[in-house]
Amino acid sequence: MLEFGGNKTHNEDAPRDTWRAVKRGLLCRCPNCGEGKLFRAFLKPVDACAACGEDMTHQRADDFPAYLAIFIVGHIVVAGFMATDTWLVLESWQHLMIWIPITIILTLAILPSIKGGVIGLQWGLRMHGFSGEAEEPMLAEPAHEDAR
């Protein structure tokens, strides 16, 4: 982007601090500036940062945040269940009444942060169009036949 006088406002080739971008994403903030909100709804990212104008339509987090949330929550819940089962004798229905709500609440609590971290990682590594280049290669133009 050029300002009046021809000076660049953003250096497209400058290295990005990937860990800072991931940390800002985990805090649900713009990975570029850290000021603007990353989500406009629970898991719906903004189209562009309100503070710096960074385009967020390129993000492709897809199912990866859900896989990470399952991995993290699964380890916490299974460890908690096993620890509880060693020192406290409970019926199966009692375990279900404890661990199902914990699983649901914990998953819903960490999912936005994980998705923000994935978007920050994509931004930091210039993935999926965050590099400023077209996401898909341009198709070659069809050859024109010479007119007689």
Side-chain angles (χ1 to χ4, degrees), residues 4-85:
F4 182 73
N7 296 325
K8 284 189 173 187
T9 58
H10 290 69
N11 188 355
E12 309 291 325
D13 299 327
R16 294 180 177 171
D17 187 355
T18 304
W19 293 113
R20 182 184 300 163
V22 170
K23 186 173 97 176
R24 288 174 175 173
L26 288 170
L27 296 172
C28 298
R29 295 287 175 200
C30 172
N32 185 32
C33 67
E35 297 295 322
K37 291 173 135 182
L38 189 55
F39 298 106
R40 65 174 178 241
F42 180 62
L43 289 174
K44 187 73 173 170
V46 295
D47 293 330
C49 176
C52 68
E54 180 73 28
D55 185 15
M56 294 295 160
T57 58
H58 304 295
Q59 68 84 22
R60 299 286 179 263
D62 298 332
D63 293 335
F64 189 52
Y67 291 130
L68 290 176
I70 289 168
F71 182 77
I72 294 168
V73 171
H75 279 80
I76 293 170
V77 169
V78 168
F81 168 78
M82 291 175 70
T84 303
D85 201 36

Side-chain angles (χ1 to χ4, degrees), residues 96-116:
L96 290 174
M97 295 301 291
I98 294 169
W99 296 109
I100 287 177
I102 289 175
T103 302
I104 292 169
I105 292 168
L106 192 56
T107 302
L108 292 176
I110 69 171
L111 196 54
S113 293
I114 292 175
K115 185 169 184 174

